Amino acid sequence: MEASNSLKEQRSIIEDDDLETVLLCQKGDVEAFGVLVDRHQKKMLNVAYRMIGDYEESCDVVQEAFLAAFRSVARFRREARFSTWLYGIVVNCAKNRLIELKQRKDRLRSGDFFPDLPPGKEGCGCGCQAAPLQEDSIQERLEKKELEARVQECIGLLDDGYREILVLRDIQGLSYGEIAEVFKIPPGTVRSRLFRARNSLKDLMRSRIGDFS
Amino acid sequence: MTCRDIEDSLPAYLEGLLSPEDSARVRDHLASCPQCCKALADLERMGAILSGLEEVTPPPWLKQRIMTRVREEAQREKGFFRRLFSPLCLKIPLSTAALLIISVLAFQVYRTQEPQFYRDGDLHVALPKPEPTLKDHSRAAIPQPPEGGPSVPREATPPSAAHSTKSAQPGLVQPTDQSALRLEQAAPPRPDGEKKRDSGESLSGGEDAAEPRKGTMALGPLPLESHEGAASQKAAEPPVYASPQPSVSGASSPLMARKKAGDEKNTLDSTVTDSNLRGGSEPTVEIISLLRTFDAVRIERRTSGGMEILTAEMPPRQVQALLQRLTGLGITGRAVSIGAADSRGGMVPVRIEVPANH
């Protein structure tokens, strides 16, 4: 009851900067969709990357998600923000891709977790290559990258239901209400899952990284 | 409350979502438990690491690739609708269906317009024909002027010769159009009956009986010739279609006026029929000639379904002779249909089908 009331309240105060562009898309303006791609591709890529852990696979997932969004943009009813709706598509595409990758990994029986292309590898889009190394010491930067790679590895070890919520909340900074909209679950469920996800990740990091505090 | 319970409550404690009592309880426990304090510190550090994770940057080709796929998708959707309404997919089937429907309708209309014959053995008996009206009989006495549509015999016969032939017949005059006009002007006022006759009403039988026939008989392509008239004129007068000049009884001046009134229409009817009789296969021409020989009138020819169909009306006594001649030509059986004789003892409709390539 509380959840539905809060959803209704949230729907009534939704302000979406993408609304006009989305309306153009719904009228068949293909180029307007390019504006939306420009505006959201980075956030979507980060969500996909944090869920999958592979840069190229994440790019493919984002492409697939935008294409799916274009196909169904006519059915977008503006009950949530466009970005929230898009997050849902990206998360679903990423989950499907993870299943495919897991099946492929099972067939190959190699590796514990993706990424096949860890940050720092040539061609990675995380900016590690382009960043000016003069500002930070190389040692500090390498340590940070290594820590991030391990954290990413730990994120990948979380259960699916925990990982996506943790990524959206703690990495992308979505509100509980938005996450509830994405997964169509009550905000209380979001909170409980998130707290369990954090504790799980903390335990994983302790076991894999050691003392990180 | 155990350390595990406290650790489970720590995320909510950090977010400030615990009740004041629970928060106080956790705070008290943390003050006395270094392990839970370490867990809290780990959680805080982990949150900082997660929020500080470096963002990945989309490659420059990502948007291009997405938009390429999106444009392809949009084109495909347009293409689908275009294909749906394209000439190949819709217009040709539509036009074909329309053509078929029109053809079927035209055929049905044609079939309904055809004279109906019922089979009776080898001969086809026609539906009872409406009685000819007096108007039609009177019209039959007036040979229709072939003006405006030259008939085949007229072209073959010199007008002067034809005129002399007609003049030789007793009791017949050969009026030109001008003489007919003069006769009409000199004629005394006609009785009402004749006026009615001129205006197209029938005097034969009651008015009730005549009314429905008015249209059918009056609109025939050629006037129905009276039986007696046909019999008496048969020897000296060429068949109706061969008549080069109209021959009118001198005593029928009102009919002359009527003739003038209906001149234009009769001329048209005759023209249509004569032109229809032109050409055709050799057997058809021969049959037409036969029909004329046997006093047939209202001879019409049309082509349908690879068959040339000749219809005419003729005296009943000539039917047997005609059938014998047709048998001699190899036209028997279903190819010849003889209708029922007119109830007033008039003409018998005849229908002869000859293959177009006979």
Side-chain angles (χ1 to χ4, degrees):
Chain A
M1 189 67 181
E2 284 179 13
S4 62
N5 284 339
S6 62
L7 283 176
K8 280 179 187 172
E9 286 170 12
Q10 195 174 3
R11 278 173 193 166
S12 63
I13 56 169
I14 282 174
E15 289 180 7
D16 195 348
D17 296 336
D18 299 323
L19 192 58
E20 286 183 17
T21 318
V22 170
L23 286 173
L24 287 174
C25 291
Q26 287 179 329
K27 289 175 183 172
D29 188 344
V30 175
E31 299 312 314
F33 194 76
V35 176
L36 295 173
V37 173
D38 246 349
R39 201 176 287 171
H40 296 290
Q41 64 173 342
K42 186 173 182 180
K43 283 183 287 185
M44 301 305 148
L45 180 65
N46 274 280
V47 170
Y49 177 71
R50 292 303 167 193
M51 285 187 68
I52 296 173
D54 184 285
Y55 185 75
E56 289 180 2
E57 292 287 350
S58 305
C59 288
D60 278 354
V61 163
V62 170
Q63 180 181 319
E64 186 186 331
F66 271 112
L67 200 61
F70 176 77
R71 285 177 187 144
S72 48
V73 72
R75 294 195 295 274
F76 174 61
R77 289 174 294 179
R78 289 164 253 161
E79 290 175 352
R81 290 163 67 180
F82 176 75
S83 57
T84 307
W85 182 68
L86 195 57
Y87 273 125
I89 295 175
V90 171
V91 167
N92 281 332
C93 288
K95 284 163 74 175
N96 291 337
R97 183 60 60 96
L98 275 174
I99 292 169
E100 289 172 18
L101 293 173
K102 194 174 181 181
Q103 289 170 346
R104 199 188 303 167
K105 191 181 78 171
D106 288 345
R107 281 198 299 270
L108 296 174
R109 292 183 180 182
S110 61
D112 292 325
F113 175 67
F114 299 98
D116 297 328
L117 186 66
K121 190 174 175 179
E122 191 178 356
C124 172
C126 66
C128 54
Q129 298 293 322
L133 298 179
Q134 301 91 324
E135 292 179 6
D136 300 323
S137 71
I138 297 173
Q139 185 64 32
E140 283 176 356
R141 187 148 191 88
L142 284 176
E143 283 176 0
K144 189 183 175 188
K145 287 296 161 192
E146 189 177 345
L147 177 64
E148 283 190 0
R150 290 191 176 215
V151 170
Q152 180 64 55
E153 191 179 326
C154 293
I155 292 171
L157 291 173
L158 286 172
D159 291 341
D160 286 345
Y162 294 161
R163 187 195 307 134
E164 56 213 29
I165 287 179
L166 185 124
V167 167
L168 291 181
R169 172 66 185 170
D170 288 347
I171 300 177
Q172 294 300 313
L174 268 65
S175 69
Y176 290 119
E178 285 175 312
I179 296 170
E181 285 277 351
V182 168
F183 298 108
K184 310 290 181 199
I185 53 175
T189 308
V190 174
R191 275 194 288 271
S192 59
R193 282 190 195 174
L194 176 69
F195 297 156
R196 272 181 247 138
R198 282 174 180 168
N199 276 332
S200 297
L201 183 63
K202 181 197 70 181
D203 295 341
L204 282 167
M205 287 172 69
R206 251 189 210 167
S207 63
R208 294 215 162 221
I209 302 172
D211 189 6
F212 58 92
S213 57
Chain B
M1 188 176 270
T2 62
C3 287
R4 189 66 210 173
D5 294 334
I6 294 294
E7 275 196 39
D8 289 343
S9 305
L10 285 178
Y13 175 76
L14 278 176
E15 295 241 345
L17 295 173
L18 290 180
S19 64
E21 296 80 19
D22 288 342
S23 292
R25 208 172 295 137
V26 169
R27 207 177 302 118
D28 292 344
H29 182 87
L30 288 173
S32 60
C33 181
Q35 190 183 344
C36 289
C37 279
K38 179 77 169 61
L40 181 65
D42 285 349
L43 270 177
E44 287 175 328
R45 172 67 182 148
M46 185 190 74
I49 290 172
L50 289 177
S51 58
L53 285 174
E54 199 164 352
E55 286 190 328
V56 290
T57 310
W61 46 261
L62 182 60
K63 186 195 169 188
Q64 292 172 4
R65 192 185 287 181
I66 291 169
M67 290 310 294
T68 303
R69 293 283 305 276
V70 162
R71 287 189 193 100
E72 284 175 4
E73 190 77 16
Q75 196 66 31
R76 199 175 304 149
E77 283 179 14
K78 281 183 187 174
F80 172 74
F81 284 107
R82 197 172 296 154
R83 276 202 307 277
L84 194 63
F85 295 101
S86 71
L88 284 178
C89 286
L90 192 71
K91 286 184 182 171
I92 287 179
L94 261 187
S95 53
T96 307
L99 186 66
L100 280 174
I101 290 169
I102 289 170
S103 305
V104 169
L105 284 177
F107 182 72
Q108 289 298 327
V109 167
Y110 170 75
R111 295 289 294 178
T112 53
Q113 295 296 323
E114 251 190 341
Q116 294 178 9
F117 287 88
Y118 292 111
R119 279 192 70 179
D120 183 14
D122 282 339
L123 294 183
H124 293 186
V125 179
L127 287 171
K129 187 172 170 51
E131 297 175 3
T133 62
L134 180 58
K135 170 195 161 193
D136 299 307
H137 282 285
S138 61
R139 285 184 66 190
I142 308 168
Q144 300 306 307
E147 297 164 10
S151 64
V152 177
R154 182 179 181 181
E155 285 170 0
T157 311
S160 57
H163 187 267
S164 62
T165 308
K166 294 288 174 186
S167 301
Q169 292 180 16
L172 291 176
V173 294
Q174 301 294 321
T176 61
D177 288 344
Q178 287 77 14
S179 65
L181 280 173
R182 279 198 298 274
L183 279 171
E184 186 186 30
Q185 286 165 358
R190 289 168 292 172
D192 288 340
E194 286 182 359
K195 281 180 185 172
K196 280 184 183 174
R197 198 184 311 160
D198 290 348
S199 62
E201 286 189 32
S202 169
L203 292 180
S204 66
E207 282 186 7
D208 292 342
E211 286 233 352
R213 293 180 227 120
K214 188 164 56 178
T216 53
M217 298 304 288
L219 290 176
L222 277 178
L224 190 65
E225 206 165 359
S226 70
H227 180 63
E228 290 78 11
S232 62
Q233 292 175 13
K234 184 180 65 175
E237 193 178 80
V240 172
Y241 290 101
S243 174
Q245 290 292 327
S247 64
V248 175
S249 165
S252 59
S253 59
L255 296 180
M256 285 296 296
R258 182 200 167 281
K259 166 198 158 295
K260 182 180 178 300
D263 228 351
E264 186 178 347
K265 174 175 173 32
N266 291 336
T267 303
L268 279 175
D269 289 346
S270 177
T271 302
V272 170
T273 308
D274 281 349
S275 62
N276 282 344
L277 291 175
R278 283 182 178 180
S281 60
E282 192 179 335
T284 310
V285 173
E286 198 170 352
I287 292 166
I288 290 171
S289 172
L290 263 181
L291 287 169
R292 286 170 178 160
T293 307
F294 289 110
D295 302 331
V297 295
R298 302 186 63 167
I299 304 172
E300 291 181 54
R301 178 177 70 82
R302 67 174 184 275
T303 306
S304 169
M307 300 291 286
E308 285 186 325
I309 300 170
L310 293 169
T311 56
E313 293 177 359
M314 61 188 302
R317 58 188 169 75
Q318 303 280 25
V319 170
Q320 195 57 40
L322 174 69
L323 287 173
Q324 286 174 358
R325 296 293 298 273
L326 289 174
T327 306
L329 292 173
I331 299 167
T332 54
R334 294 187 59 187
V336 183
S337 303
I338 308 297
D342 192 292
S343 61
R344 292 177 60 85
M347 310 296 274
V348 172
V350 179
R351 187 175 191 268
I352 302 166
E353 293 180 3
V354 183
N357 54 356
H358 191 275

